[in-house]
Amino acid sequence: MTPPDTTSPAVLEQLRRRSADRERSRILFTGATIVTMDPDLGVLHGADLLVEGATITAIGTDLSPDGAVVVDATGTVLAPGFVDTHRHAWQSQLRRTMPDVDDLGAYVTSTLAGHATVYRPHDMYVGTRLAALTAIDSGITCMLDFSHNSRTPEHSDAAVQALVDTGIRGVHASMGPHFGDWDHQWPGDLARLKERHFAGDDQLLTLRLAALATDAIAGQALAYGPELARIAQDLGIGVSVDAVFGTASSEAVLRWAKAGLLGPDLTLIHATGLTPSAWRAIGDSGTTIALAPTSDAQIGLETAIPAIDEALSVGVRPGLSIDVEVALAGDMFTQMRALHTIQRMRAVNAVHGTDRQPVRITTHDVLDFATLQGARTNGLADVTGSLTPGKKADLLVIRAEDLNNMPLNDPIGTVVLGSDARNISAVLVNGVVRKWNGQVLDVDLPALRDEVHASREYVLHTAAA
């Protein structure tokens, strides 16, 4: 098996020179197994993929190089970049500070009512940048940052700038903080944010309004309803609603349905323990769902069971998300495997001892959730989520002949069940190489480490004072 040329410094140097001239940049990956996640294209073996500028322009066999930088991708799987539909990125310097947290209240008390209240804009920048770089390293090319610590305009600007500086396809979902002193500039500041950071139609970053489902945690000001819906509509942005749990959230969903506030531009996060009538309203309206498989199960949110069967029963194919790294793993491989395992376990258990057949999801399903459906959930289905000519070049090169993956038999199974961040040889976002030969580019790791440690020490010591 010929090793891929993603290990070649010379190829990387050619790619970086070409990237400086976006109009003329052409990259041709050859000989790969291509998992397109495009329903019309499927999986292609021994195939080529051409990137011109920021866009995938062709997929097939024996494509002409025509001046392109040629990357021999034999022995690899090319796949769409993963899409994270909900992560509180600002917290990442507090990773695993509470790995065995056993209820939502403990997280709220420690992180949101404690550590969050002392964050400076610089800490927002450090945490968000670390989260985005780690996302890229693990193959996440699009990340929705549910930035619910917007204490001042400067805090929001710092979080947005961190996304810009990493080169990820970022979605900044802005919300005011739950507790502590803040400027109360949100949601009014969204108009300024849009004008300053999100004015262009063709850019890596998009803006959303973030809110909570009810007033149970932090009061009425942060709860989604007609006023916040109107603000989002006036700005032409989508809405992501967190903490959608149980009876109170079910009642809220039905109120929103009655008021015409549900729809494809609205994402409900978690959606655990909702009533059948709430799910019917979600399905009928085309409202999107962001599941957080490890968060629901590990922390124990409402029923603690990811609502995959409930979503599928009303025709909703959800996106997947990481949620909080203070307690959880930060990669999409973990989310896919957790959901795949939990749903299949429940399906078999439900019919055990009967003659009924279990209805189980597949590895293709969870990869679809982690890519194309995640893009749809983030409002970016026309931009990313599949390797489709005309879409932006957000893609992964996964080594399929590494020790833990060889031999390549089922490519989707290899991506979902066999691979992890160490197997990701290359990551492109918008046609720009962000990871190469297993290393995230343009990152001074010692300097980043110093920044992360200093920010963590400031936050922990100040919050404890």
Side-chain angles (χ1 to χ4, degrees), residues 173-193:
S174 176
M175 191 181 92
H178 295 67
F179 308 106
D181 295 332
W182 62 295
D183 282 359
H184 294 274
Q185 81 291 347
W186 182 93
D189 193 47
L190 286 164
R192 181 195 66 86
L193 281 171

Side-chain angles (χ1 to χ4, degrees), residues 335-356:
Q335 307 310 317
M336 290 190 291
R337 290 168 187 161
L339 187 64
H340 187 252
T341 300
I342 290 170
Q343 192 279 336
R344 291 170 70 88
M345 174 190 70
R346 291 187 68 212
V348 173
N349 180 260
V351 301
H352 180 67
T354 75
D355 59 0
R356 291 179 291 139

Side-chain angles (χ1 to χ4, degrees), residues 244 246-258 262 268 271 273-287 289 310-311 313-314 316:
V244 182
T247 301
S249 290
S250 297
E251 293 170 352
V253 168
L254 294 176
R255 288 196 302 271
W256 302 336
K258 187 175 181 179
L262 298 179
L268 305 183
L274 298 184
T275 61
S277 57
W279 274 110
R280 285 193 294 273
I282 292 168
D284 290 346
S285 61
T287 299
I289 296 292
E310 293 85 345
S313 72
V314 296
V316 176

Side-chain angles (χ1 to χ4, degrees), residues 149-388:
N149 200 21
S150 300
R151 299 188 172 274
T152 69
E154 291 75 25
H155 282 70
S156 296
D157 290 339
V160 173
Q161 191 60 50
L163 298 176
V164 172
D165 290 349
T166 61
I168 198 166
R169 190 176 298 284
V171 183
H172 177 75
S174 176
M175 191 181 92
H178 295 67
F179 308 106
D181 295 332
W182 62 295
D183 282 359
H184 294 274
Q185 81 291 347
W186 182 93
D189 193 47
L190 286 164
R192 181 195 66 86
L193 281 171
K194 181 177 182 182
E195 182 177 356
R196 177 169 180 175
H197 299 289
F198 304 93
D201 293 328
D202 185 19
Q203 60 181 36
L204 276 176
L205 300 188
T206 51
L207 177 67
R208 286 174 79 90
L209 184 151
L212 300 180
T214 70
D215 61 3
I217 297 176
Q220 189 60 44
L222 301 180
Y224 179 63
E227 182 178 351
L228 292 181
R230 178 187 54 76
I231 291 171
Q233 184 177 29
D234 289 347
L235 292 172
I237 60 176
V239 179
S240 294
V241 179
D242 203 356
V244 182
F245 310 130
T247 301
S249 290
S250 297
E251 293 170 352
V253 168
L254 294 176
R255 288 196 302 271
W256 302 336
K258 187 175 181 179
L261 303 184
L262 298 179
D265 292 331
L266 176 68
T267 297
L268 305 183
I269 301 167
H270 297 290
T272 45
L274 298 184
T275 61
S277 57
W279 274 110
R280 285 193 294 273
I282 292 168
D284 290 346
S285 61
T287 299
T288 59
I289 296 292
L291 297 183
T294 60
S295 180
D296 295 337
Q298 184 173 330
I299 299 175
L301 302 179
E302 193 65 26
T303 62
I305 299 171
I308 178 60
D309 293 315
E310 293 85 345
L312 293 176
S313 72
V314 296
V316 176
R317 294 186 67 81
L320 302 184
S321 70
I322 306 302
D323 200 358
V324 292
E325 288 192 76
V326 295
L328 306 167
D331 67 284
M332 191 59 70
F333 296 107
T334 298
Q335 307 310 317
M336 290 190 291
R337 290 168 187 161
L339 187 64
H340 187 252
T341 300
I342 290 170
Q343 192 279 336
R344 291 170 70 88
M345 174 190 70
R346 291 187 68 212
V348 173
N349 180 260
V351 301
H352 180 67
T354 75
D355 59 0
R356 291 179 291 139
Q357 293 300 307
V359 179
R360 290 178 274 203
I361 61 173
T362 66
T363 52
H364 184 279
D365 284 323
V366 293
L367 186 56
D368 178 51
F369 303 153
T371 55
L372 186 57
Q373 301 310 321
R376 185 178 61 83
T377 301
N378 282 354
L380 296 170
D382 293 336
V383 176
T384 189
S386 66
L387 302 183
T388 301

Side-chain angles (χ1 to χ4, degrees), residues 66-101:
D66 193 20
V69 177
V70 178
V71 178
D72 179 5
T74 307
T76 72
V77 173
L78 264 60
F82 302 129
V83 179
D84 183 356
T85 58
H86 151 241
R87 182 194 306 235
H88 304 295
W90 58 269
Q91 303 174 4
S92 65
Q93 63 268 67
L94 303 178
R95 284 172 172 164
R96 268 69 72 184
T97 51
M98 47 195 323
D100 296 314
V101 60

